[in-house]
Amino acid sequence: MAIICMARQVAAMGDEISAEVAKLLNYKFMKRTDIEKRIVELGFPKEKLHKYDEVKPGFFASLARDRDEYLDYLQTAVLEAASEGNCVLIGRGTSFVLSELPNMLAFRFVADHQIRLARLEHEFNFTEKQAQQRIDESDSNRRGFHKSFFNSDAEDPAHYHLVINSGKLDIKSAAALIVSIVETSVTPDLEAAGKKKVSEMLLAQKLVNFLVFEHKISVNFLRALVIDKKIVLQGIADSSAIVEKALVLAQKAYPDYKIESAISVVQDFKTYK
């Protein structure tokens, strides 16, 4: 069971190479539209998706509660897909969401600027100016998205197992290279450890969703960490009563786990709307 996360520049053939990798490995390919669909199915309003989905949130959008809700639903969708194993995920910071999985492999696709321009001009019948605007907008949005949600630089090659220049390798050659890395890198021990870890991460995310969306617990930046048979809640609340309520609900939902709090209580903490 390997989890393959792909990142790409626009016009770097990332979607095409990812699809070929999934075909060669007989893995499920979670396309952009698949992830978007699942985020909406989980409960995020479709009409608000354009504010956050692989774009740089505007000033007010970045301060809204919708931002954290989007991230919770995104992480849930990604963890669900990863828990099924043998999948290829593209974009949406998936390699950052799944960075703790020992069986996750991350790849990024880039290409020379002139090649990207030519591809956009050919595919969309753009003028050079239009193609340049599309590149500038896409690059800015992806940088802003990763900075806002993961405080990371998606262009840093250190985040990936391999960065591939699709101007130097064609689709089939790039896909074959990735397949060879997957087949030689992911051992049975890594698969087993990855399966256990993603199960714990999904359990933690479901608990967060349970508290925030079903019971409207007002803990900002709420996260849960599973350590063996213990779950630690993290975040910021403005009263001890809220923390106690979160602990009680979590213990009822997961009676086989010991629930602990690492939630900070900050009086007069101003929540956003």
Side-chain angles (χ1 to χ4, degrees):
M1 181 184 79
I3 311 302
I4 305 173
C5 296
M6 308 295 205
R8 76 286 192 219
Q9 294 178 322
V10 67
M13 307 300 287
D15 293 84
E16 293 85 349
I17 297 170
S18 298
E20 182 68 13
V21 169
K23 177 182 175 183
L24 291 173
L25 289 170
N26 195 28
Y27 278 19
K28 181 178 181 180
F29 180 28
M30 285 288 288
K31 302 184 293 296
R32 172 177 181 261
T33 51
D34 296 325
I35 297 176
E36 286 178 355
K37 180 181 177 182
R38 185 57 184 148
I39 290 171
V40 172
E41 287 175 347
L42 287 166
F44 193 77
K46 186 175 182 179
E47 64 274 13
K48 294 182 179 180
L49 202 60
H50 70 280
K51 295 182 180 180
Y52 304 100
D53 203 38
E54 210 166 42
V55 298
K56 178 182 178 180
F59 177 76
F60 291 107
S62 67
L63 298 177
R65 185 175 293 277
D66 291 341
R67 177 201 172 279
D68 276 4
E69 290 185 1
Y70 168 81
L71 181 58
D72 284 336
Y73 287 128
L74 169 64
Q75 291 178 153
T76 303
V78 170
L79 288 166
E80 284 179 345
S83 69
E84 296 178 6
N86 296 348
C87 64
V88 176
L89 300 138
I90 189 164
R92 306 298 180 284
T94 54
S95 63
F96 295 98
V97 175
L98 303 175
S99 62
E100 296 179 44
L101 300 188
N103 61 330
M104 187 277 289
L105 294 172
F107 302 91
R108 185 168 189 258
F109 306 106
V110 300
D112 180 80
H113 184 70
Q114 291 302 317
I115 290 176
R116 298 170 71 196
L117 283 173
R119 285 173 175 167
L120 289 172
E121 289 170 21
H122 174 75
E123 183 175 357
F124 298 104
N125 197 29
F126 281 170
T127 64
E128 182 176 343
K129 182 179 179 181
Q130 289 172 321
Q132 183 62 60
Q133 289 175 337
R134 177 73 179 92
I135 287 174
D136 290 343
E137 178 184 28
S138 177
D139 288 354
S140 175
N141 271 329
R142 286 175 181 168
R143 282 193 296 267
F145 175 84
H146 286 87
K147 182 65 176 177
S148 175
F149 288 104
F150 306 108
N151 194 29
S152 295
D153 178 7
E155 297 177 358
D156 184 350
H159 292 307
Y160 307 97
H161 292 79
L162 183 68
V163 177
I164 295 177
N165 186 335
S166 67
K168 305 294 185 183
L169 292 175
D170 62 22
I171 293 172
K172 290 189 178 298
S173 298
L177 177 59
I178 291 171
V179 168
S180 69
I181 293 173
V182 172
E183 292 178 339
T184 56
S185 299
V186 182
T187 65
D189 286 346
L190 290 179
E191 290 182 16
K195 185 175 183 179
K196 178 177 182 293
K197 185 63 179 179
V198 75
S199 176
E200 292 175 345
M201 292 173 68
L202 183 57
L203 182 153
Q205 186 61 54
K206 286 183 176 179
L207 175 56
V208 169
N209 295 353
F210 170 74
L211 294 174
V212 172
F213 301 132
E214 293 187 36
H215 289 278
K216 311 299 182 185
I217 294 296
S218 185
V219 176
N220 286 270
F221 319 116
L222 180 62
R223 295 292 178 264
L225 179 64
V226 178
I227 307 171
D228 295 324
K229 298 300 290 183
K230 179 174 70 175
I231 300 177
V232 180
L233 300 179
Q234 303 171 329
I236 302 174
D238 63 5
S239 76
S240 297
I242 292 175
V243 176
E244 184 60 30
K245 184 176 181 181
L247 289 171
V248 170
L249 288 169
Q251 193 65 73
K252 287 183 178 179
Y254 293 92
D256 296 332
Y257 289 82
K258 180 181 180 181
I259 311 296
E260 295 183 356
S261 172
I263 298 172
S264 300
V265 177
V266 180
Q267 298 293 334
D268 300 320
F269 183 80
K270 300 299 182 183
T271 60
Y272 40 60
K273 301 298 183 182

